[in-house]
Amino acid sequence: MKHWTPLADKVDVNKYNTWLGTQQDLNVGDSLEESQQGHFDFACTHPWDELVIGADGRAGLCCLDYELHAEVGDVNKNTVQEIWQSETMNWYRKKMLKLEYSDIDVCRNCNAYIYQQDKTWAKLQR
């Protein structure tokens, strides 16, 4: 940060994402402790601000679920609006609002809270 701040308009240091626990956690120091011992104590933003659609038309819950294990629909069978407003999407949203992440296989080992915890969305829910 000291080196690049005077040379750039903006400098960010990102924390390492484990892609739903499928990759080794390479965070270091305080970030490692935060990533390994923290958890979502607020609802993840993903089911409210994104819908992932694979090349085959399957729709997934989250951009971190690159194999679409949490499939929420298929644009070959339903419209994006139908998928977005579906019971499946709403089930995930309700589980997250209740902080019942252990009921969601793909979310169980996710460390994305380290990116979202300082956002307004998270602060409003605490």
Side-chain angles (χ1 to χ4, degrees):
M1 292 289 288
K2 287 179 186 177
H3 175 78
W4 289 107
T5 298
L7 303 172
D9 292 332
K10 182 179 178 186
V11 177
D12 284 326
V13 176
N14 291 324
K15 297 175 184 172
Y16 186 80
N17 187 309
T18 62
W19 294 89
L20 305 176
T22 63
Q23 304 299 309
Q24 180 183 357
D25 194 337
L26 298 178
N27 285 293
V28 295
D30 292 341
S31 293
L32 178 63
E33 183 178 337
E34 179 182 34
S35 175
Q36 293 183 346
Q37 297 184 18
H39 64 281
F40 273 101
D41 58 356
F42 55 91
C44 175
T45 61
H46 291 182
W48 281 272
D49 65 12
E50 68 182 44
L51 181 66
V52 178
I53 301 174
D56 61 358
R58 292 182 304 136
L61 176 66
C62 172
C63 62
L64 300 175
D65 180 16
Y66 53 86
E67 293 191 9
L68 300 178
H69 291 293
E71 188 175 326
V72 295
D74 187 326
V75 295
N76 296 305
K77 300 173 186 173
N78 297 97
T79 67
V80 170
Q81 181 176 356
E82 288 170 337
I83 296 168
W84 186 254
Q85 296 173 342
S86 70
E87 286 301 315
T88 303
M89 283 295 292
N90 287 330
W91 180 86
Y92 282 112
R93 291 176 180 131
K94 287 174 188 174
K95 286 291 182 184
M96 290 182 185
L97 285 170
K98 293 178 184 178
L99 305 180
E100 295 174 348
Y101 289 94
S102 61
D103 293 345
I104 308 170
D105 289 339
V106 297
C107 300
R108 196 170 287 129
N109 297 312
C110 181
N111 75 336
Y113 54 85
I114 64 176
Y115 303 101
Q116 297 180 28
Q117 65 189 359
D118 294 327
K119 305 287 185 189
T120 302
W121 172 259
K123 290 178 181 179
L124 288 172
Q125 294 178 54
R126 293 190 190 127

